[in-house]
Amino acid sequence: MAELAHLELKPEETPRMLHDLNAILDYVAELNGWTRRGWAPLAQVSELEKRWAAASGAGAADVPQPSLDRAAVMPQAR
């Protein structure tokens, strides 16, 4: 894999890179095994944002809200 990507790895870097690449490939294999019933393929990721907004009823941008008063909530923290 490193040769195909034209990576110049030092001998001590090879085991970690091998581990990381195998972890990535295992994850991709897991994703490929998932059932995708009801999910239409996307042409681009921006379609996700449009679908989420339509499904959630969100159409407007997020509006900042005031946070809780620190003095009021800190006594409840453990």
Side-chain angles (χ1 to χ4, degrees):
M1 189 74 113
E3 289 177 24
L4 291 173
H6 300 288
L7 298 176
E8 294 180 21
L9 299 174
K10 297 176 185 169
E12 63 271 12
E13 295 174 316
T14 302
R16 178 158 183 198
M17 181 63 70
L18 182 61
H19 175 268
D20 291 349
L21 288 173
N22 282 331
I24 292 168
L25 293 174
D26 288 344
Y27 184 67
V28 169
E30 181 182 338
L31 292 175
N32 283 333
W34 285 5
T35 302
R36 292 179 291 274
R37 280 185 297 235
W39 290 77
L42 299 175
Q44 57 189 27
V45 179
S46 64
E47 290 181 24
L48 281 176
E49 185 176 318
K50 293 174 192 169
R51 288 182 185 192
W52 177 84
S56 68
D62 289 338
V63 178
Q65 301 291 326
S67 62
L68 298 172
D69 179 41
R70 184 180 179 94
V73 296
M74 285 309 291
Q76 298 174 31
R78 295 174 201 228

